[in-house]
Amino acid sequence: MKRISVNQNTNPTCYLISTPIGNLEDITFRAIKSMQLVDILLAEDTRVSLKLLRHYQIDKQIVSYHDHNKEDMHLKIRQWFKEGKSIGLISDAGMPLVNDPGYELVLLAQEMDVNVVSIPGPSASLSALVISGFTPHPFLFYGFLPNKKQKRIEELTRLQVLPETLLFYESPHRIQDTLYECLKAFGDRRAFVARELTKLYEEGISGTLSEIAAIEEWKGEIVLVIEGFKGHTSVASECSIKQDVDRLIESGQKKSDAMKQVAKERNLTKSVVYKEYHEE
Ligand code: SAM
C-alpha cells in the first residue's frame, strides 16, 4: 500500500492537464497556471498545442510525447523526475489519458513516487453523457471500437446485455457503419449522437439506432451514446436479417413482402432491412 498527500511533500509532480475540446474559453485558471509553472510540458502533437499556448499567451517549450516515442521518452522523463523536475501532460483536446496518451506515464510516475495530479476540465465523453438523456450512472466508456470488423463484432456482442449506458468515440467516416453494426448487435435501441461539442456547429441527435443510421452524411467530431440493455428490448435475434428474409422467400413470399415483414417484426425501417439484406 502507498498513501501520498500530494501537497504535503517535496516530491516532483506529474500534472495531467485538461484542455478545451473545441471552445477555447473552456480552460480553467488552474490549467493555465500549471502549464506555466511546470518545468517540462509534454504534448501529443506539438503544433496543435503550440497554437493553444499562443492563444493563452503561455511561453513554454513543448516536448513531443505520443504512442510512438513514449518508450524513448520514458528514459528522459525518468531522469527529469530524478532531478526533481515537474512535468505537465496535455492532449490535443480534452482530458489526457481519455483515449489519449498518458497511461504509462502515470505508471512511471507512481513507480517513482512522483505526485500525480489531475487538473480537471472538459472531456467529450462526460459532456455527451450528461446531455444524452440516458441514465448517467452506471455508464461504460468504451472509446473507439477496434478497426477490424471481426473484433468490432466480438466487442459489440460482449456489450449486448450490459445495462450500463454505453459511450463510444467515433469518426465521421465510420459512424454510419458503426450505427448499423450496433443495430445488428443491440436491436433498435435508443441512441444519442453528440457532434461538435462546444463548437459552432454543435448538434445533438436523438432517435433509435435505425433512425440515426439512416443519416448518410456525417462531419466533425462525434460521441455515440447508446441506452443500456433494459431487458425488455430485443437483442438482435439469433438469425441475421438476411436469413430471416430468405426464410420467408423460401416459404413462398415475394422478396419485397418478405423484407416488409422482417422490418415489421424487428421494428426496423424497410430501408435498413434492404441495406442489410444486400450487404450480407
Ligand atoms: N481526450 C479527449 C477527451 O477527453 O474527450 C478525447 C480524445 S480522442 C483521441 C478524440 C475523439 O474524442 C474524437 O474522435 C471524438 O470522438 C471525441 N471528441 C473530441 N472532441 C469532441 C467534440 N468537440 N465533440 C464531439 N466529440 C469529440
Side-chain angles (χ1 to χ4, degrees):
M1 189 174 101
K2 257 189 207 174
R3 218 167 147 172
I4 303 179
S5 296
V6 293
N7 296 316
Q8 316 296 325
N9 65 45
T10 54
N11 302 353
T13 299
C14 174
Y15 295 93
L16 309 170
I17 307 167
S18 288
T19 55
I21 55 169
N23 189 324
L24 293 177
E25 290 183 10
D26 293 331
I27 189 92
T28 66
F29 292 125
R30 211 167 150 227
I32 293 188
K33 223 165 108 184
S34 33
M35 286 192 272
Q36 281 162 337
L37 75 84
V38 290
D39 295 304
I40 294 133
L41 192 56
L42 304 176
E44 201 185 347
D45 183 331
T46 51
R47 281 165 311 174
V48 173
S49 297
L50 263 177
K51 275 193 211 146
L52 193 81
L53 262 61
R54 250 182 241 131
H55 181 86
Y56 303 118
Q57 297 171 353
I58 299 169
D59 184 18
K60 174 80 58 179
Q61 203 194 335
I62 308 179
V63 180
S64 154
Y65 179 86
H66 47 71
D67 281 339
H68 304 295
N69 75 350
K70 67 185 174 208
E71 265 144 45
D72 291 343
M73 281 306 295
H74 285 176
L75 297 172
K76 289 189 186 163
I77 294 168
R78 202 174 265 282
Q79 186 56 34
W80 289 330
F81 282 149
K82 274 190 197 153
E83 290 165 9
K85 293 196 164 118
S86 61
I87 284 178
L89 173 70
I90 54 177
S91 299
D92 288 356
M95 190 171 271
L97 275 83
V98 180
N99 256 139
D100 268 332
Y103 173 62
E104 292 83 357
L105 176 65
V106 169
L107 295 185
L108 174 67
Q110 287 179 338
E111 178 207 312
M112 296 183 72
D113 286 343
V114 165
N115 298 318
V116 180
V117 169
S118 167
I119 309 293
S123 176
S125 54
L126 290 182
S127 299
L129 174 68
V130 295
I131 60 171
S132 69
F134 300 138
T135 180
H137 42 80
F139 73 88
L140 187 147
F141 172 67
Y142 190 92
F144 290 100
L145 282 161
N147 280 327
K148 294 227 163 76
K149 191 166 171 124
Q150 190 48 37
K151 192 82 189 120
R152 280 153 73 84
I153 292 169
E154 275 168 34
E155 286 299 88
L156 290 174
T157 307
R158 194 172 64 78
L159 303 174
Q160 254 173 3
V161 289
L162 299 186
E164 290 85 3
T165 300
L166 303 170
L167 294 177
F168 300 96
Y169 282 166
E170 201 35 282
S171 70
H173 65 267
R174 220 176 58 163
I175 182 71
Q176 203 183 12
D177 286 346
T178 299
L179 286 161
Y180 275 115
E181 283 163 8
C182 289
L183 176 61
K184 263 199 219 166
F186 303 149
D188 205 10
R189 278 196 212 166
R190 292 194 303 151
F192 178 82
V193 169
R195 209 177 62 78
E196 294 287 86
L197 286 160
T198 79
K199 302 188 208 175
L200 186 59
Y201 295 107
E202 175 163 354
E203 185 182 31
I205 307 169
S206 308
T208 62
L209 281 169
S210 66
E211 284 168 344
I212 305 177
I215 300 174
E216 300 270 336
E217 223 183 280
W218 289 96
K219 279 189 190 152
E221 297 197 279
I222 289 163
V223 184
L224 169 62
V225 189
I226 301 180
E227 191 174 36
F229 181 57
K230 292 285 171 268
H232 58 268
T233 48
S234 65
V235 167
S237 76
E238 295 284 303
C239 289
S240 70
I241 287 178
K242 183 163 181 0
Q243 283 168 328
D244 268 1
V245 174
D246 285 339
R247 179 177 47 79
L248 292 173
I249 294 172
E250 275 163 31
S251 72
Q253 283 205 27
K254 280 203 298 198
K255 191 158 123 188
S256 60
D257 290 341
M259 285 192 187
K260 217 185 280 174
Q261 182 171 329
V262 171
K264 197 163 164 223
E265 280 171 7
R266 290 181 176 244
N267 200 18
L268 299 173
T269 60
K270 267 190 292 172
S271 60
V272 168
V273 172
Y274 184 89
K275 188 167 188 291
E276 284 300 311
Y277 184 81
H278 288 96
E279 268 186 4
E280 275 186 38

